[in-house]
Amino acid sequence: MRPISAWNRRVVAAVLAAVLAAGAIVLAVVLSARPQSGGPPSGVSTSSSGASPAGGTSAAPTATAVPGTFEATSPVTSEPPVVIPEPPVAPPVIQPPVPPEPPVAPQPPPAVPFPRALLGQDLEVLPGAGRVVALTFDAGANSAGLPKILQALANAGVPASFFLTGNWANANPAGVSAMRAAGHRVGNHSMTHPGFTGLPDDGIAAEVRGAEQAILAAGADPTPFFRFPFGERDARTIAAVNNLGYVPVRWTVDTLGWKGTSGGFTAQLVADRVLSALRPGEIVLMHIGSNPDDGTTLDADALPQIIDRVRQAGYSFVTLDSLL
C-alpha cells in the first residue's frame, strides 16, 4: 500500500474536522428547537436556602440564559371571567297623544220666574217699592188666628201674603182656598219646617218640592216665593232655593206676636213694633197660629190697628207680587 503523505493526512484531518463541526452545528440546532422543561437548564446551580455567598438574604436566583435556547416560563392559568347579565331594559312606553279637551261652554244661569237681580238674596225689604208695606203671615202650627185675620183684611181692603208649610196646607185645605178666594198671595215655607242649613241639597229639594205639591193640591201656587223656617239660611241654601225656582223673602220686622201674653207681649206692643220699623218697602212678619202656652193670637188682634196707623203714615199695602 502506498503510504499516506503528510499533506494527505492534513487534508483528511481537515475534512473530518469539518464533518464534526457540521454535526455539532446540526445537533445544536435540534436541541435549541426543543421546548425546555420547567426546571433550570443543566449546569445552572440554584441555592435552596436563598442565601447569598456573603450570608445575606438575596432575591430568588434567576436562570442563566443559554445562547440559542428558549427561556423557561411558568404557564399562566386563570378562571374565565364571570359575566353577570344585566336586567333587561323595558322598552319605553309611548303614550298616545291626548287630544286637548274641548272648551267647556259656560252654563247658562238657571231659568227663574223672578228678576235675575234677586238671585242670591234673602230679601228684607221690597227694593225700589216706594211707600208701600207688605203684610206677610207664616202658617206652620195651627189656624186659630186665620178667621180674624181674613176678616180684618177684607174689611180694610188690604191684600197680604201667606207662607204655608206643606203640613199646614194638608191639614187646612179650606184655609188655603179662603186665602186664594180673597185674592191673597201664597208662598212656600217648606214641608215640615226644619232648619235648612243642616240639610243637604237633596234634603232641601225634598222640603221645597214637598210643600209645593201639597199647596198645589190645596188649590194655590206658591212659586216663586219662599221663606226659610226660623229665618235660618246661608249662601248655599239660598242658592239651592234659587235653583228650585224660588226667591227667598225674609222680613224687615218681626212683630213677636207669637210670644203671646205669656212672653210679655200685647197687641199694642205688636203694632208699635211695626210702626217703629216703618220704611218704604217694609216687609212685616206675623203668624196665623196661637201661642202654644196661652192660646193668644196677638198678631190677629193687632192687625186692624196696624192697618190704620200705617195708612195714617201715608203708606199703602201690596203683596209680594210687586217684586215681579
Side-chain angles (χ1 to χ4, degrees):
M1 172 181 292
R2 184 180 176 181
I4 299 173
S5 65
W7 184 89
N8 286 337
R9 287 195 298 271
R10 288 194 295 269
V11 171
V12 171
V15 171
L16 289 175
V19 170
L20 290 175
I25 292 171
V26 171
L27 179 61
V29 170
V30 171
L31 291 177
S32 65
R34 187 176 59 184
Q36 301 296 316
S37 66
S42 60
V44 178
S45 64
T46 60
S47 173
S48 61
S49 64
S52 66
T57 303
S58 66
T62 58
T64 302
V66 177
T69 65
F70 290 101
E71 187 175 351
T73 59
S74 298
V76 178
T77 61
S78 62
E79 294 293 332
V82 177
V83 179
I84 300 176
E86 295 184 359
V89 178
V93 178
I94 301 176
Q95 298 291 345
V98 179
E101 295 186 1
V104 179
Q107 296 297 318
V112 291
F114 53 85
R116 303 196 62 79
L118 302 181
L119 285 171
Q121 300 187 56
D122 188 13
L123 297 170
E124 298 181 0
V125 295
L126 304 176
R131 294 175 69 84
V132 296
V133 171
L135 299 177
T136 68
F137 298 86
D138 285 1
N142 58 54
S143 59
L146 183 59
K148 188 181 295 187
I149 290 169
L150 290 177
Q151 188 62 56
L153 294 172
N155 291 343
V158 170
S161 303
F162 293 83
F163 285 98
L164 315 178
T165 66
N167 285 344
W168 193 95
N170 285 336
N172 299 276
V176 179
S177 297
M179 293 172 189
R180 293 301 297 137
H184 302 301
R185 194 62 163 93
V186 172
N188 189 322
H189 196 35
S190 81
M191 186 68 194
T192 63
H193 205 271
F196 265 43
T197 56
L199 295 177
D201 288 354
D202 58 351
I204 291 174
E207 283 287 332
V208 174
R209 294 301 186 209
E212 181 180 292
Q213 293 303 315
I215 296 169
L216 286 170
D221 184 358
T223 58
F225 303 115
F226 178 82
R227 177 165 283 162
F228 286 103
F230 312 107
E232 182 182 298
R233 84 284 196 229
D234 55 21
R236 178 186 69 89
T237 54
I238 291 174
V241 169
N242 286 162
N243 290 335
L244 295 170
Y246 286 87
V247 55
V249 180
R250 197 172 174 79
W251 55 84
T252 311
V253 59
D254 180 352
T255 66
L256 300 181
W258 55 269
K259 288 190 173 183
T261 54
S262 59
F265 272 75
T266 65
Q268 184 65 45
L269 288 176
V270 166
D272 289 344
R273 284 181 61 82
V274 174
L275 269 296
S276 65
L278 188 59
R279 55 175 293 185
E282 179 186 35
I283 302 172
V284 180
L285 168 60
M286 293 181 279
H287 289 80
I288 288 176
S290 60
N291 180 281
D293 297 324
D294 55 39
T296 56
T297 55
L298 295 183
D299 286 332
D301 296 343
L303 185 56
Q305 180 186 167
I306 290 171
I307 294 172
D308 289 343
R309 292 175 65 182
V310 168
R311 279 179 168 164
Q312 291 170 6
Y315 285 77
S316 59
F317 297 93
V318 295
T319 69
L320 297 178
D321 283 331
S322 63
L323 289 169
L324 308 179

